[in-house]
Amino acid sequence: MDSTTIRSRRLLALATATVIAFGVGACSSDKKDSSGESGQSGPVNMEFWGWAGYEKIVDQWNASHPNTKITFKKIPSGPKGGYTQISNALTAGKGPCLAQIEYQTIPSMLVKNSIMDITQYASDGMDKYVPSAVSASSVGGKVYGVPVDVGPMVLFYRKDLFAKYGITKPPATWAEYKADAEKVTAADPGVKLGPELGGGDGLAAFTLQTGQSWYSTKGDSWTVSIDNPGTRKVASYWQDLKDKGLVSKTGSAWDPQFNKASEAGKVLTFVGAAWAAGGLKSDLQNLSGKWRVAPMPTWEAGDGKSASSGGSATSVMTGCKTPKEAVQFADFLSSDPQAVKSGIEGGLYPASKAGQEDPSLTGGDPYFGGQKVGDVYKASAAQVPSTWTNGPTFQQVESDFTGAIGQGALPDAVTKVQASTVAAIKKLGLSVTNG
């Protein structure tokens, strides 16, 4: 191992220790006066990089803030190269002031010293957003992004096929879901209630519903608890359904296999985030009026716990000379009524509590037979546990789960990824223990 590698790992460890133990950003070169201002005088120009359809919102900001201009640059989505592009630009000293960062990626960007602690500018306004999004945008009690959107999970189901197979109401618990799956398969082995559990992102979302987390921090160390009772419960449940032939091998919204099965009436449901409605509407237009939305089934009757999948925040990148103004724009993007409306039109479900009351979300949706699906999304978003902590090696976890699930049973995959994740964090030079 050369001296550069050793020094880099020591810096990573120091950055994480500083963030976790003291709750402040690992580095900030911005000059601020005693009042906490950015110190910038005259017009402000900032770049904002992301992959969502933010162009209209940026235009709205620029029209009403002539002294603070935002230039938006469209990049590939984070997992498809966007994060690499951001990191390379920051290394070259040409990075943006702001960037779209998915919640699960915030810790890894922080370990890389890519994002800034914006607590002093953002903390007073965080009560405008649902608690789970605030938690997902924070590390060690400090704010590292302004929440934009969330992915409250619900049960999408075919009302017409429920009637065909004698299911009188959507399953309220996972026990009821299994019973309905048995009923459908008994009636026609070629038809399934829903698809099997997918990769690591699905397993994470379902574990979130149990109230347990895959990570925690103490002092300057990470604790990995992927192999916990909640994850075990989820893995065993879905493996049981798979072993008994009660679930299909199709994916969900936007998956061609799922679309084909849906059109043939071979699958009745899927559990997904609110944004998945866009996939149904775009790919299965001929099934308009047949789909409905219900709360995500729970482990215990009446506990109301839900989960979330997806969503992102607007983070201020290390090296930004105008962090206060950057946060002002981020807050505008996430909470200004017209900006939120533009985001909704682009397919985002807002993290803003007020945004969830937008008329476009509270009325009946023709695709879902006139149902007020926004009420279901809103209720789900309010019931997502705030107990989850994201870890510093998200992409590694995703990749390892995909490989492990392909090679064996879900419970075995949990054991394997627990071990591989501890090893991956150690490789970064960070302190880590098994939970």
Side-chain angles (χ1 to χ4, degrees):
M1 183 183 299
D2 60 34
S3 59
T4 301
T5 300
I6 295 173
R7 181 178 63 182
S8 297
R9 291 186 178 180
R10 286 175 177 169
L11 288 172
L12 283 171
L14 177 60
T16 302
T18 305
V19 169
I20 295 172
F22 304 109
V24 296
C27 173
S28 175
S29 60
D30 302 278
K31 305 299 182 182
K32 304 178 181 67
D33 60 28
S34 59
S35 65
E37 300 296 323
S38 66
Q40 178 78 14
S41 60
V44 173
N45 293 283
M46 295 179 286
E47 283 195 3
F48 170 37
W49 291 12
W51 54 91
Y54 289 144
E55 293 89 346
K56 186 175 180 179
I57 299 174
V58 169
D59 289 343
Q60 290 168 341
W61 167 271
N62 287 335
S64 56
H65 297 78
N67 292 323
T68 307
K69 182 182 178 182
I70 302 294
T71 301
F72 181 64
K73 178 180 177 180
K74 198 77 171 277
I75 60 174
S77 68
K80 295 183 178 179
Y83 294 135
T84 299
Q85 195 168 330
I86 291 171
S87 296
N88 290 343
L90 289 172
T91 299
K94 298 179 181 179
C97 236
L98 301 119
Q100 177 182 358
I101 307 294
E102 294 167 295
Y103 296 128
Q104 67 267 20
T105 308
I106 286 176
S108 60
M109 296 293 280
L110 183 55
V111 167
K112 294 176 182 177
N113 193 25
S114 296
I115 55 178
M116 291 176 57
D117 169 10
I118 56 173
T119 307
Q120 65 173 314
Y121 306 118
S123 60
D124 288 345
M126 296 300 275
D127 59 351
K128 292 183 288 192
Y129 309 104
V130 294
S132 60
V134 176
S135 176
S137 303
S138 306
V139 178
K142 299 298 181 180
V143 182
Y144 290 93
V146 177
V148 178
D149 63 313
V150 290
M153 295 185 73
V154 295
L155 178 73
F156 294 92
Y157 70 98
R158 286 280 295 274
K159 183 179 179 181
D160 58 329
L161 296 181
F162 267 36
K164 178 179 178 180
Y165 290 98
I167 302 174
T168 59
K169 60 182 178 64
T173 66
W174 289 114
E176 291 179 10
Y177 185 92
K178 180 180 178 181
D180 288 339
E182 291 172 336
K183 187 174 186 178
V184 171
T185 300
D188 186 342
V191 179
K192 305 300 176 187
L193 183 65
E196 64 185 18
L197 183 65
D201 57 343
L203 191 57
F206 281 89
T207 301
L208 166 61
Q209 188 189 28
T210 71
Q212 296 193 287
S213 177
W214 283 358
Y215 305 91
S216 61
T217 58
K218 184 177 181 180
D220 62 351
S221 180
W222 290 93
T223 297
V224 178
S225 304
I226 292 174
D227 194 348
N228 67 52
T231 311
R232 283 274 160 194
K233 178 194 290 187
V234 172
S236 296
Y237 175 86
W238 287 98
Q239 187 63 45
D240 179 55
L241 264 59
K242 182 178 180 180
D243 291 343
K244 294 178 178 177
L246 301 178
V247 287
S248 69
K249 294 182 179 181
T250 63
S252 55
W254 279 300
D255 184 317
Q257 283 186 303
F258 176 81
N259 292 340
K260 185 177 180 180
S262 295
E263 290 171 340
K266 299 295 185 181
V267 61
L268 283 66
T269 75
F270 72 94
V271 180
W275 45 259
L280 295 179
K281 293 177 180 180
S282 64
D283 296 346
L284 298 172
Q285 298 178 29
N286 59 322
L287 296 180
S288 177
K290 296 182 178 181
W291 285 96
R292 296 291 188 275
V293 179
M296 182 181 185
T298 59
W299 292 105
E300 301 293 336
D303 75 1
K305 287 183 181 178
S306 189
S308 184
S309 178
S312 61
T314 306
S315 293
V316 180
M317 312 311 290
T318 298
C320 179
K321 302 298 188 228
T322 51
K324 179 180 179 181
E325 291 83 355
V327 172
Q328 288 173 343
F329 167 74
D331 184 66
F332 173 90
L333 185 154
S334 295
S335 64
D336 176 82
Q338 288 304 312
V340 171
K341 184 179 291 293
S342 295
I344 293 170
E345 291 171 354
L348 301 177
Y349 186 77
S352 161
K353 298 174 186 175
Q356 293 175 9
E357 299 291 345
D358 187 90
S360 65
L361 296 175
T362 58
D365 190 320
Y367 186 88
F368 294 102
Q371 181 186 1
K372 293 184 177 181
V373 296
D375 292 346
V376 187
Y377 301 153
K378 179 183 175 183
S380 174
Q383 294 293 329
V384 178
S386 297
T387 50
W388 188 266
T389 297
N390 286 307
T393 58
F394 173 76
Q395 291 182 322
Q396 163 264 319
V397 172
E398 283 282 276
S399 177
D400 287 0
F401 260 121
T402 298
I405 292 173
Q407 295 171 4
L410 277 168
D412 294 336
V414 172
T415 301
K416 290 179 180 179
V417 179
Q418 167 74 26
S420 66
T421 302
V422 170
I425 295 177
K426 283 182 178 178
K427 192 174 181 179
L428 287 175
L430 305 177
S431 175
V432 59
T433 60
N434 274 294

